[in-house]
Amino acid sequence: MADKFKPFVPPQVNMKEFTLKSILLGCIFGIIFGAATVYLALKAGLTVSASIPIAVIAITLGRKFFKTTILENNIIQTTGSAGESIAAGVVFTLPGFLFLTDGGGEKFFNYLTILTLAIFGGILGTLMMIPLRRSLIVKEHDTLPYPEGTACGDVLVAGEKGGDFAKMAFYGLGFATLYAILQKVLHVIAEVPSYMTQQVNRFFPSARVSGEITPEYMGVGYIIGPRIAGVLVAGGVLSWLVLIPLLATLVPADAIATQLVKLGYLASITTPGGKGNWDPSAHTFADFSSAIYFAYVRQIGAGAVAAGGFITLIKTIPTIISSFKGSIGSLKNNGENEAATNEVPRTERDLNIKVVLFGSIALIVLMAFLPQLPGDSIGKKLLVGLLVVIFGAFFVTVSSRIVGLIGSSNNPISGMTIATLMGTCLVFIAVGWSGKLYEPMALVVGGMICIAAANAGGTSQDLKSGYIVGATPMYQQLSLFIGAVVSSIVIGLTVKFLDKPTAAMIANGVTDHAIGSTYFPAPQGTLMATLAKGILSYNLDWQFVLAGVFIAITMELCGIKALSFAVGAYLPLSTTLPIFVGGAIRGIVDNKRKKQNIHLSAEEEELGKGNLFATGLVAGGAVAGVIIAILAGFDGSAAVLAKLNMEEPLVGALGHGGYYLMGALLFALMGWVLYRVANKK
């Protein structure tokens, strides 16, 4: 099927693509979205996909003011998307320097170190995707949907075609934008309706069903389809409706609180607050479900993700080998005949495999000799660089496959980073390195792999978009390198800016670092530091990690893709449940077509009304999320947003149950609209 695929711009057509205006516009968007992602990730541990919003903006501004072609618009979104993915990787790991033993990593939390690691990680993620593009994007075009990449490509094509194609995508965009305003600005729609049984319930304590009922999750679910969405939500059901009620029955509240203290989610057992809102005087949690999730289930999920990743790697080895063989064969042909490059179709021209080889060697050497990186000898730093490249090659492949299935927004980057940290620390212990001296070095490996895996996920989506529209891969790869460097400059500045306490923070007792305080808790960074400290001091709860490993193995033995299930077990049910709703709608639509004996080609399906409307839902939700994140970063606009918040009067009038029910009904209305649109011819 992939061999029969025809891109929107045929290979023989030469069109403006890698131009100065497309690169400059892409860099501007990378700076904006990168800064917004830093704020959002530090504040809530969440990120918003940037590729589709940038594509939508590129179409709108490009056509009206800059006369850009579809391939130039693709370069704009490719360059700009690097900022969001690198920012996520930086924020999820590098703040961990502040939380290492005795402040031993604080000296590395400086702008130069953050900048260096961001650039290196971003480049590594793109480098490792060069030889994988043909095997993952081209050969598996029909089996790996890459939802954001497909959606982004469809948006670009729809914008170029105009007419009904553009209208349907932008109808979805408008619907999602209006929905997002009602939800995230006015708070007429509840953001996460939930129902949890009481801890004192003797039959089913602290079981929770919840859903982050956003348009982007419904759109992603529709794009990935019912099968993958069903496996995802099954993992969530195991965590939230099996493991948590079971642990709530067996584990005392004080033991849960002690575990949260150990992981850094609670200051001390005598301090109120933290995950689950601990009450030390009553020895209980306001939310047992969240407390148990962060204390135990996330570690189980991380073990499952790590095992699912290794299983995925084993299955992918033949594909990787054939990909490298193809790249090396292409290199040999080019050496024998310089004219060979001209014989390769424009849409199949990647950067030379030498770039990957020499780029990887250069990264290792630079990491060994740059003084701003941790390590007291060149030999030790060489080992760190080698581990970065080895883990990078593995997790870039895994990350690309994960986002190919469920999208970049749900890529469990922190789970892969946890696995990297564990592996790195075990290597350190094996060579006799233990104790606080090696914690910053372990965090460097974890940080760079987190950045590389995040950027690889974004790169994969971009290459998928390029494959759909008919872009030149080589130009996309070059633009990703440029975007990684430019956005890293601003990401480092933003992190340091937000870490500086404001006057209001100082008045409330925050004196040294805003990051790690209640203002910017940086939850993932705290967890990464805790893991590095726990393993290198021989004090990690391996029993939970290994439980997750064998859950993944059990799923694989049952014929279920372990990685998809593991991702569902690691993520909150509030994420996977609304995705499942979108997938279920797609399943109903497909079943109806099957009964009516309607058969669509892959291209017809991608540009069908349902897919385009779902694309608009993803784009509208993401655009609104980024804009609101930016506005919330300024005191004046944040005050205005607070005044517009109608949640309190609505809860007062309807009660929490009524407020949640109204949100669920409006989410159902959106699903009904998507169903009706998808059934149109």
Side-chain angles (χ1 to χ4, degrees):
M1 291 289 289
D3 293 336
K4 298 177 183 179
F5 176 79
K6 294 181 180 179
F8 181 74
V9 179
Q12 61 271 22
V13 172
N14 288 316
M15 183 184 293
K16 285 184 178 180
E17 184 173 5
F18 191 70
T19 60
L20 181 61
K21 64 182 174 182
S22 64
I23 292 296
L24 289 176
L25 285 170
C27 287
I28 291 170
F29 289 132
I31 289 169
I32 294 170
F33 282 81
T37 300
V38 168
Y39 174 85
L40 196 60
L42 283 174
K43 192 79 173 173
L46 301 172
T47 61
V48 180
S49 178
S51 293
I52 297 171
I54 292 173
V56 172
I57 297 169
I59 292 169
T60 307
L61 297 182
R63 175 176 288 180
K64 192 167 184 179
F65 300 108
F66 300 104
K67 309 301 180 187
T68 51
T69 66
I70 184 174
L71 297 187
E72 284 180 307
N73 288 336
N74 183 60
I75 290 294
I76 291 171
Q77 72 85 16
T78 299
T79 308
S81 67
E84 176 263 334
S85 55
I86 292 173
V90 167
V91 174
F92 287 167
T93 53
L94 300 190
F97 280 127
L98 296 174
F99 314 126
L100 296 179
T101 305
D102 299 330
E106 188 171 348
K107 63 183 178 181
F108 298 111
F109 193 69
N110 60 72
Y111 175 71
L112 191 57
T113 301
I114 295 171
L115 173 66
T116 303
L117 294 176
I119 291 175
F120 284 4
I123 288 175
L124 180 65
T126 301
L127 271 180
M128 294 300 177
M129 274 305 301
I130 292 173
L132 293 172
R133 185 196 68 85
R134 188 182 298 271
S135 61
L136 295 181
I137 308 299
V138 178
K139 290 185 178 179
E140 298 201 44
H141 175 64
D142 297 321
T143 56
L144 291 175
Y146 288 99
E148 285 102 343
T150 299
C152 190
D154 291 348
V155 166
L156 290 166
V157 171
E160 188 72 12
K161 283 188 172 183
D164 289 338
F165 285 100
K167 283 181 182 178
M168 194 52 63
F170 287 110
Y171 282 158
L173 175 70
F175 189 99
T177 302
L178 176 61
Y179 185 100
I181 290 171
L182 289 172
Q183 184 179 51
K184 297 177 180 179
V185 176
L186 300 177
H187 293 272
V188 171
I189 302 171
E191 293 197 41
V192 189
S194 62
Y195 172 76
M196 183 176 70
T197 61
Q198 296 293 321
Q199 173 64 14
V200 294
N201 187 310
R202 56 182 295 198
F203 301 109
F204 206 37
S206 296
R208 173 183 290 198
V209 176
S210 61
E212 193 173 342
I213 50 174
T214 62
E216 56 265 36
Y217 282 160
M218 179 175 284
V220 166
Y222 186 91
I223 291 169
I224 67 176
R227 173 64 182 168
I228 299 171
V231 174
L232 271 174
V233 81
V237 168
L238 175 69
S239 290
W240 293 85
L241 299 178
V242 178
L243 295 179
I244 288 176
L246 179 63
L247 292 170
T249 303
L250 299 175
V251 184
D254 284 355
I256 299 170
T258 302
Q259 179 69 10
L260 289 173
V261 172
K262 180 178 180 180
L263 293 173
Y265 290 122
L266 182 63
S268 73
I269 199 167
T270 58
T271 305
K275 299 298 183 183
N277 197 8
W278 169 246
D279 183 351
S281 59
H283 295 271
T284 188
F285 290 95
D287 183 352
F288 267 88
S289 182
S290 292
I292 294 170
Y293 171 70
F294 284 100
Y296 304 110
V297 174
R298 269 174 67 99
Q299 293 185 80
I300 295 172
V305 170
F310 282 109
I311 293 169
T312 299
L313 178 66
I314 292 169
K315 288 181 172 181
T316 313
I317 284 174
T319 306
I320 295 173
I321 292 172
S322 65
S323 175
F324 275 102
K325 280 184 177 178
S327 299
I328 293 170
S330 176
L331 173 62
K332 183 179 179 181
N333 291 336
N334 288 344
E336 293 175 351
N337 182 6
E338 292 181 359
T341 304
N342 297 325
E343 297 172 6
V344 176
R346 178 185 58 79
T347 53
E348 289 299 321
R349 293 177 192 164
D350 291 285
L351 286 175
N352 198 302
I353 192 69
K354 287 180 180 178
V355 174
V356 182
L357 177 62
F358 292 118
S360 300
I361 294 172
L363 279 177
I364 294 173
V365 173
L366 285 172
M367 289 189 67
F369 287 95
L370 286 176
Q372 62 263 37
L373 301 183
D376 56 2
S377 72
I378 292 175
K380 290 178 179 178
K381 294 168 80 170
L382 276 173
L383 177 60
V384 169
L386 189 62
L387 287 173
V388 163
V389 171
I390 292 172
F391 281 121
F394 168 47
F395 280 115
V396 161
T397 305
V398 173
S399 177
S400 180
R401 281 196 166 271
I402 289 177
V403 302
L405 292 170
I406 64 168
S408 298
S409 300
N410 303 299
N411 193 3
I413 293 297
S414 53
M416 288 185 277
T417 308
I418 288 168
T420 300
L421 266 177
M422 289 177 178
T424 302
C425 292
L426 289 176
V427 170
F428 283 6
I429 290 172
V431 297
W433 299 354
S434 62
K436 63 183 181 181
L437 177 64
Y438 299 99
E439 292 172 4
M441 294 170 63
L443 197 60
V444 163
V445 180
M448 279 192 62
I449 298 310
C450 186
I451 297 164
N455 195 38
T459 296
S460 301
Q461 302 288 4
D462 294 333
L463 292 173
K464 181 74 165 186
S465 302
Y467 183 64
I468 291 170
V469 303
T472 308
M474 177 177 65
Y475 291 147
Q476 283 192 284
Q477 290 153 359
L478 287 171
S479 65
L480 282 160
F481 286 133
I482 295 170
V485 174
V486 173
S487 59
S488 294
I489 295 171
V490 179
I491 288 166
L493 290 172
T494 307
V495 169
K496 293 301 292 181
F497 172 77
L498 293 177
D499 187 46
K500 185 179 180 181
T502 63
M505 294 178 186
I506 293 172
N508 287 321
V510 179
T511 55
D512 296 325
H513 298 280
I515 294 176
S517 71
T518 54
Y519 296 94
F520 297 109
Q524 285 90 345
T526 305
L527 178 60
M528 301 309 165
T530 302
L531 281 170
K533 291 187 291 185
I535 297 174
L536 291 174
S537 62
Y538 303 97
N539 190 26
L540 184 69
D541 298 314
W542 283 104
Q543 65 270 35
F544 303 120
V545 175
L546 290 174
V549 168
F550 284 99
I551 285 174
I553 292 172
T554 301
M555 291 301 108
E556 199 68 37
L557 291 173
C558 290
I560 297 169
K561 289 185 178 179
L563 190 54
S564 299
F565 187 90
V567 169
Y570 180 80
L571 293 172
L573 184 62
S574 59
T575 297
T576 56
L577 188 57
I579 291 175
F580 173 70
V581 172
I585 293 170
R586 173 68 173 269
I588 295 169
V589 170
D590 289 347
N591 190 51
K592 185 176 180 181
R593 283 183 186 152
K594 187 177 180 181
K595 287 182 178 179
Q596 295 174 346
N597 202 27
I598 298 173
H599 301 285
L600 300 178
S601 68
E603 186 175 4
E604 287 173 333
E605 184 63 43
E606 285 178 357
L607 294 177
K609 291 182 183 296
N611 248 36
L612 287 171
F613 191 82
T615 291
L617 293 181
V618 177
V623 168
V626 170
I627 291 173
I628 293 165
I630 293 172
L631 292 176
F634 298 96
D635 292 338
S637 54
V640 174
L641 290 175
K643 290 180 180 178
L644 293 173
N645 191 332
M646 298 176 63
E647 180 176 352
E648 190 173 330
L650 284 171
V651 170
L654 303 173
H656 280 288
Y659 180 59
Y660 287 162
L661 179 61
M662 183 173 70
L665 290 174
L666 289 170
F667 186 69
L669 173 64
M670 181 167 58
W672 179 79
V673 172
L674 174 59
Y675 172 77
R676 289 293 299 255
V677 168
N679 278 313
K680 289 183 179 180
K681 292 184 180 179

